[in-house]
Structures are given as C-alpha cells and as structure tokens.
Amino acid sequence: MGKSSSEAACDKRPGEQGRLCDAAVSVQHEVLQRIPAGVGIFTVKNSDVRLEYLNDGYYRMIGTMRSHRVRYSGANTLGAVHAQDRSGLLEETQKAIREKQPLRYRYRLLYEDGIYRWIGIRAQHEPLPDGSERFYVAYFDIHDLMQT
C-alpha cells in the first residue's frame, strides 16, 4: 500500500510545517494501531471492493498477522467472508451508498484458525471524485453474542 492522503499532503509542506505534519500523521497511525477493535478503509465501485487499510487491532481480533492475510486483498478482498454472506454484504453496501446511510452488517469471517466467526461492522462512507465510495469501517467480534 502506498502513502496515505495525509502522508502525501505532508510531503508538499516545506520545512518545519512538513515535520509537524509528519509528527501528526505518526500520532494518528499510533492511535489507530492501539484501538482494541478492527478499523479499516475500503473503496467500493459497483461490486468491486478494494482494501486500503486495516489496523493491527483487526489482525489481533482474528488471531493472525498482517502478512498471513495478503491472500485476502486486491480482487480477493471479500475472500475471507463466508460464501453465504458475501452477496448480502454487497447488497447492504450498495443500499448504504444509494440511501446515503451508514452501513451496519453482521457476517461470518474466516479466522486464522480456519473457523468462521461472526463479526459486526459499522461504517461511514463518502463519495470520491472517480465515482467510487470510501468506507471507514469499525469491526467487532460478536461471535459469542450470536451463539446465545
């Protein structure tokens, strides 16, 4: 993954402003890594979903490391979502875009141990100039709640 939009903006600032900007981005990154839940950023255009970012909390939640999940990126971003839940997730995503509403959904996700567990997501989105939507997602492990 390349530089974030914040990092790219810092590169355009001269001298002390650039250093202060870099420090602010570093603090933002540190905060995101310490959140005890998953945080992600995705871009959606039609039914094409592309991963932009997942924090370390996401990987801790599913019991793995970032390097073990690279197979679920690019064109296979939804590959870890249970096959029976993928179409519903895409439908709800498109509905959120059409109705300009936040996305809330529950689905089963393949964890590192090979078992599907329930997670819940809440996401806000914003349109991008190219016609796609950027989603800012919070992930929560709700497996125990779904089992009761």
Side-chain angles (χ1 to χ4, degrees), residues 15-69:
E16 184 64 19
Q17 282 184 337
R19 284 189 292 281
L20 290 173
C21 185
D22 287 339
V25 169
S26 178
V27 168
Q28 290 170 354
H29 179 75
E30 183 70 21
V31 167
L32 282 172
Q33 297 315 319
R34 293 179 182 267
I35 291 173
V39 174
I41 302 172
F42 289 85
T43 303
V44 178
K45 189 165 189 174
N46 303 316
S47 61
D48 182 37
V49 179
R50 298 288 171 164
L51 170 65
E52 290 187 35
Y53 172 82
L54 288 168
N55 74 334
D56 290 345
Y58 174 87
Y59 295 102
R60 283 190 301 271
M61 181 182 79
I62 64 171
T64 192
M65 296 180 295
R66 187 178 305 271
S67 61
H68 295 166
R69 297 295 276 199

Side-chain angles (χ1 to χ4, degrees), residues 45-107:
K45 189 165 189 174
N46 303 316
S47 61
D48 182 37
V49 179
R50 298 288 171 164
L51 170 65
E52 290 187 35
Y53 172 82
L54 288 168
N55 74 334
D56 290 345
Y58 174 87
Y59 295 102
R60 283 190 301 271
M61 181 182 79
I62 64 171
T64 192
M65 296 180 295
R66 187 178 305 271
S67 61
H68 295 166
R69 297 295 276 199
V70 292
R71 65 187 175 271
Y72 301 118
S73 60
N76 195 35
T77 294
L78 298 179
V81 174
H82 193 285
Q84 294 176 348
D85 298 333
R86 274 184 220 135
S87 63
L89 176 57
L90 286 171
E91 287 170 17
E92 288 299 312
T93 300
Q94 294 302 322
K95 180 180 175 186
I97 292 169
R98 272 192 320 276
E99 296 180 2
K100 298 183 184 344
Q101 294 294 317
L103 172 63
R104 291 182 179 186
Y105 198 68
R106 297 180 301 214
Y107 60 91

